[in-house]
Amino acid sequence: MENHSAFLTSPIAAEIQLPQIVSGGKRAGYYAAITIIIIATWLIRSKKQSIKLDVPIYKAPKMKWVFDAENLVRDSYTKFRDRVYQIKATEGVQVLVPPGLVGELKGLPEDVLSATEAVSDALQSKYTKFSPGHNGDLLSLLVRTKLTQNLTRIVPRLRRELEYITETEFPACEDWTSVEWQPFSVRAIARLSGSAFVGPSISRQEQWMDTASNFTIHVFTACVKLQFFPEWARPIGQFFVSELRQIRKDIQIAKDIIRPVLEERLLGVNTPGAEEPDDMIQWLVDALPEEEKGDLTTQAELQLILAAASIHTTNNLLCECIADLAAYPDAQKELREEAFQVLEVEGGWARKESMASLKKMDSFMREVQRLRGNITTFIRKVMKPISLSDGTYLPAGTKVIAPQAGISRDERYFPDPERFDALRFYHMRQDSDEASNRFQFTSLNDTNINFGAGKHACPGRFFAGNEIKVILSHFLINYDIRLKQGQDRPKGMSVVMTKAPCQKTELEFRRRSLVSE
């Protein structure tokens, strides 16, 4: 998924969303001292390294961009609206473009406006080695075809996997029970996505669950730490970032876990009576060129990239959805009635169109994403000078983003934008056949680029959307959900241009009987 929220240009998307950033540790004081020195140097030297742009600048202290970026983006968008403007944030000068120009930019070729280069810079691929390399297009193709086009076959597996992990890891909740949702949900997402990517024989292994989940954190924490070093200092600064060493360990662990399964697949060995392999390991074996089919490093790195793209980004939105269900009982009741009718009364769990029939839930998810989603999206780097239709000139090297946090609250596009309306997009879809398609959760347009835009839009958004619907439906049908007494709706955290839910948030759940109440 795209989120600073989704990320990765070819395989998954072109934005970045961080999971929880873990701070502290034995070297906390050491890192703090290094950070102070680097920031001081950064603040002094960066003034000399800016690209000169003839567009207005939104001024704010650089360090404020670290912890208050969402409010700054919203305020800057309100100030400039339909104009191109620039900010000087943690990654230097960035140009923010309004929705009207996103459509103009999204079709430009990579050698003019590059998502790949922009994401490589943002993910510090030079140091994290976090890139699908020459297999990026292949991985994206497999997600669009083997994964997305076979969702009707995959969704029942997701449901079985969810029932398994709920039975084994979620409290009984016979009466109202306080539950830390985030730790459970991240494991559930890891298990469900893993069942499609590496198969249940691997996805249920604790070591794989830990490695797949923590790899994401190691990559993103490394990115955040590296951002505190000015670019000229990163060749040395990398040696102070312990997560870079951990990333190499994660890859080795993944190779050790995948090795026996890959060897069996290459030999065509299958357990008697078992279903034919139907997961990303097999799809890669079938699709990779002959010389790479047995390349364990390729399999391990691509699987970890998929895990990084799918686990925390999906979980972040799921956590926000569950929090809003708890905060808005009327919406919870409405969505429960829809899920029960479609999936239980009408037997929708066994029908291929069942997830698409959950139109109110689809609207709810898009509204949650509108208010709780990306701060910025559409991350690009100008490779050749660009002249926009409004006269703006963007020289090579310019970093371009779109102010999604501002666009999402623009009353011209979303009337009464600060109000949470679970059925906002459900009602908008009633206007016409075109609107019915345009305002789905997975639909893209120039005012909704949470999943990116153009050819780099997140191909995994359909899988993620179905995954979230399966989980929400299961918990709506089987549990009542509420905030703890006296508790407001939990707020997430943000670091730089990224957001994440509060890890310690507790909600209350109570088991329901399988009847419509």
Side-chain angles (χ1 to χ4, degrees), residues 145-158 160 275-279 283 352:
T145 56
K146 293 293 188 178
L147 184 65
T148 300
Q149 294 180 14
N150 292 302
L151 283 175
T152 54
R153 187 178 70 249
I154 293 171
V155 164
R157 285 160 46 188
L158 299 182
R160 290 195 299 270
E275 296 180 358
E276 288 295 315
D278 187 24
D279 51 41
W283 303 336
K352 64 180 183 179

Side-chain angles (χ1 to χ4, degrees), residues 403-418:
Q404 185 67 57
I407 297 169
S408 292
R409 288 172 172 80
D410 190 328
E411 68 279 1
R412 297 174 299 174
Y413 310 125
F414 309 104
D416 196 5
E418 295 298 330

Side-chain angles (χ1 to χ4, degrees), residues 35-232:
T35 299
I36 291 171
I37 295 170
I38 292 296
I39 289 175
T41 309
W42 168 49
L43 291 172
I44 294 170
R45 290 200 50 165
S46 61
K47 294 180 180 180
K48 304 176 182 179
Q49 300 174 345
S50 299
I51 293 175
K52 300 300 180 183
L53 295 163
D54 188 22
V55 297
I57 184 169
Y58 177 80
K59 295 182 179 180
K62 285 189 176 181
M63 289 309 297
K64 196 172 182 181
W65 286 103
V66 176
F67 298 111
D68 199 28
E70 182 167 17
N71 285 328
L72 294 178
V73 167
R74 290 174 62 183
D75 183 64
S76 64
Y77 177 82
T78 300
K79 180 177 180 180
F80 294 106
R81 288 280 181 142
D82 297 324
R83 299 169 62 194
V84 177
Y85 64 97
Q86 61 179 308
I87 61 174
K88 291 185 178 180
T90 56
E91 277 297 275
V93 174
Q94 293 173 299
V95 169
L96 285 82
V97 295
L101 292 175
V102 169
E104 186 175 327
L105 290 168
K106 67 185 180 185
L108 294 177
E110 272 286 301
D111 63 348
V112 176
L113 186 68
S114 177
T116 305
E117 289 296 323
V119 171
S120 179
D121 288 349
L123 288 174
Q124 299 296 314
S125 297
K126 179 179 178 180
Y127 304 105
T128 63
K129 309 302 181 186
F130 187 72
S131 169
H134 66 278
N135 287 313
D137 288 341
L138 173 62
L139 193 57
S140 180
L141 178 64
L142 292 176
V143 170
R144 287 198 308 271
T145 56
K146 293 293 188 178
L147 184 65
T148 300
Q149 294 180 14
N150 292 302
L151 283 175
T152 54
R153 187 178 70 249
I154 293 171
V155 164
R157 285 160 46 188
L158 299 182
R159 185 192 180 199
R160 290 195 299 270
E161 206 62 32
L162 177 62
E163 289 174 340
Y164 175 85
I165 194 171
T166 303
E167 290 170 2
T168 56
E169 299 192 23
F170 200 76
C173 299
E174 298 299 336
D175 200 350
W176 286 109
T177 304
S178 182
V179 178
E180 283 190 5
W181 171 259
Q182 198 277 342
F184 167 79
S185 65
V186 75
R187 287 177 59 82
I189 291 294
R191 184 72 62 78
L192 268 63
S193 59
S195 69
F197 297 149
V198 293
S201 66
I202 291 179
S203 68
R204 291 184 180 183
Q205 293 182 35
E206 281 299 317
Q207 191 176 34
W208 177 262
M209 293 267 286
D210 290 344
T211 302
S213 298
N214 291 331
F215 173 74
T216 317
I217 296 175
H218 295 149
V219 169
F220 288 141
T221 305
C223 291
V224 171
K225 287 184 178 181
L226 284 166
Q227 284 190 21
F228 283 100
F229 294 87
E231 190 170 347
W232 55 266

Side-chain angles (χ1 to χ4, degrees), residues 71 96 116 122 157 166 171 189 193 245 249 261 289 301 304 308 324 347 353 376 390 393 414 416 489 503:
N71 285 328
L96 285 82
T116 305
R157 285 160 46 188
T166 303
I189 291 294
S193 59
R245 294 187 291 277
K249 293 180 182 178
V261 174
E301 290 181 350
L304 288 177
D324 279 323
E353 71 275 12
T376 58
D390 68 347
Y393 177 78
F414 309 104
D416 196 5
R489 187 202 181 283
Q503 189 172 10

